[in-house]
């Protein structure tokens, strides 16, 4: 069964592309790190002896670790300018990188400071560790926070994540907030760079309180406001292809959400087995004033249970997120390439993107072509083209090469290209598109492996 949406004419001309603020955001973050180092530099006189060098390096690592903790939490706050203009996938990669920096700086801070104190006091490293943890102010809380941060770091490693469920990882990850709260006090109580420096102390408070305000607003208050206003419920559930289901969600004044084709929400269905998990799913049709649709492939316990949702089930949503929208478009000609369930945001873009649009759909078999009937209907009324790439009779997987892309799409280098699919699929296609002459600025991809 296929849900029918009213036909919408796509604009004939691409709007001016909006430039991503990613470069400006990264510059601001690195400028903050430079300011932290400058704080240490201006507050430090001469560094003498092994103990002085170890302690000084430990102080630098500690200051940068404290700054990285604030950045880490800020990147988790789901700030719209980051989620919608920079892209949720890129922000997630920044967050993962900031997490690795934070753990490394934390370990360096602990090792260097304790070694410097031990050398200064002429004591063993073990004795100095016990003295610092048990006798120094705020250090018991800081130790607890350190243990939590290290646990978050361990569970975020790929080898561990592959062996644990998403829910376990998610709830352990939320403990980052507790860890940052527990470690904050010792930064001001023991940090020589803050003692007697009112301006530095005020700036540190402003940094942490500002990040806390972002989290409170965008992760707590904004979602509550959204769901109280729009009252989302499941309207219908129907099968699109083998193991693929669409869910139509009904609500009030959904046009006020500002959702765009190509974006996604984080969905929490208030049904048994689903209410404790929030999962990102893309809109698989252009949003309407009273309903939205997602299409889900059964890949795990959560996505499989979506097929069992009943009409009337309450829905808790957060969003919209993502930057895989028409705002990235720089040309009047566009190629969309989707693999598997990655077709879902491209289905919505296929309907609404302006200009000349071609869609290439990669799937294993004909039975795996979700939303195929809708794609054909959209192609007919807007004069677009749909190309399919399926496995051979014995399951042979055909490669998409630069040559085959150029043969299928004349003047490929003059097209914008939107990619959506598994990470390996997108990475392989990116290389082939670059080899085919498509500029990097015209290749648009968003990964949902968050």
């Amino acid at each position: 069964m296929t849900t029918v949406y009213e036909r919408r004419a796509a604009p004939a001309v691409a709007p001016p592309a909006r430039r991503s603020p990613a470069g400006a955001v990264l510059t601001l973050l690195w400028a903050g790190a430079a300011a932290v180092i400058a704080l240490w530099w201006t507050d430090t006189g001469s560094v003498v002896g092994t103990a002085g060098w170890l302690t000084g390096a430990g102080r630098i690592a500690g200051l940068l670790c404290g700054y990285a903790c604030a950045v880490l939490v800020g990147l988790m706050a789901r700030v719209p300018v980051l989620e919608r203009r920079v892209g949720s996938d890129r922000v997630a990669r920044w967050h993962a990188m900031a997490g690795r920096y934070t753990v490394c700086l934390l370990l360096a801070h602990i090792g260097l400071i304790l070694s410097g104190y031990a050398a200064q006091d002429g004591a063993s490293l073990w004795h100095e560790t016990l003295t610092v943890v048990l006798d120094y102010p705020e250090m018991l809380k800081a130790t607890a926070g350190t243990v939590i941060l290290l646990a978050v770091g361990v569970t975020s490693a790929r080898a561990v994540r592959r062996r644990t469920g998403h829910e376990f990882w998610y709830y352990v990850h939320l403990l980052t907030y507790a860890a940052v709260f527990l470690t904050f006090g010792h930064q001001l109580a023991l940090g020589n760079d803050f003692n007697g420096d009112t301006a530095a102390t005020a700036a540190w408070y402003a940094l942490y309180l500002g990040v806390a305000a972002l989290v409170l607003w965008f992760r707590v208050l904004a979602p509550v406001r959204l769901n109280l206003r729009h009252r989302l419920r499941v309207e219908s559930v129907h099968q699109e292809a083998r193991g693929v289901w669409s869910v139509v969600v009904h609500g009030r004044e959904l046009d006020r959400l500002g959702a765009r084709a190509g974006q996604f929400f984080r969905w929490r269905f208030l049904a048994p087995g689903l209410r404790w998990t929030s999962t990102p799913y893309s809109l698989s049709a252009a949003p309407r004033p009273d309903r939205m649709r997602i299409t889900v492939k059964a890949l795990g316990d959560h996505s499989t249970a979506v097929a069992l949702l009943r009409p009337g089930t309450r829905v808790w949503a957060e969003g919209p997120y993502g930057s895989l929208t028409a705002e990235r478009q720089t040309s009047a000609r566009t190629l969309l390439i989707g693999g598997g369930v990655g077709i879902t945001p491209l289905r919505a873009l296929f309907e609404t993107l302006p200009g000349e649009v071609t869609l290439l759909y990669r799937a294993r078999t004909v039975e795996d072509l979700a939303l195929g009937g809708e794609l054909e209907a959209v192609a007919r009324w807007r004069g677009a083209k749909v190309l399919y790439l399926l496995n051979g009779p014995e399951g042979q997987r055909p490669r998409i090469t630069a040559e085959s892309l150029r043969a299928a799409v004349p003047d490929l280098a003059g097209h914008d290209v939107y990619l959506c699919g598994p990470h390996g699929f997108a990475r392989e296609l990116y290389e082939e598109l670059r080899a085919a002459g498509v500029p990097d600025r015209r290749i648009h991809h968003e990964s949902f492996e968050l």
Side-chain angles (χ1 to χ4, degrees), residues 394-409:
E394 298 181 4
Q396 310 97 314
R397 182 178 181 271
R399 280 198 64 209
I400 304 177
T401 65
E403 292 73 19
S404 65
L405 287 168
R406 280 196 297 257
V409 184

Side-chain angles (χ1 to χ4, degrees), residues 1-10 238 240 244-248 260-263 282-288 291-296 324-326 334-354 357-362 369-382 384-386 388 418-421 448:
M1 178 180 176
T2 300
T3 301
V4 178
Y5 286 90
E6 66 271 19
R7 181 182 302 176
R8 286 188 172 184
H238 49 271
E240 299 284 4
V244 179
W245 298 80
S246 281
V247 180
V248 177
R260 299 171 180 267
Q263 291 188 310
S282 297
L283 299 176
S284 61
R288 313 301 182 190
R291 59 173 55 81
M292 299 184 289
R293 188 185 71 180
I294 60 174
T295 301
V296 180
L324 197 70
T325 66
T334 305
L335 171 64
L336 309 175
I337 308 179
V341 78
I343 195 64
T344 54
L346 302 188
R347 155 62 183 88
L349 287 168
F350 192 47
E351 177 186 353
T352 57
L353 274 179
V357 182
T358 301
L359 173 66
L360 175 60
Y361 189 176
R362 169 78 178 93
L369 292 173
L371 307 173
E374 291 185 20
L375 295 173
E376 293 287 352
V378 172
R380 283 193 297 271
W381 65 255
R382 70 170 296 169
K385 183 164 55 175
V386 182
Y388 300 102
Y418 287 71
L419 303 177
C420 192
F448 298 100

Side-chain angles (χ1 to χ4, degrees), residues 27-41:
T27 299
L28 181 63
L29 294 179
W30 284 112
V36 168
I37 295 175
L39 173 64
W40 173 85
W41 180 267

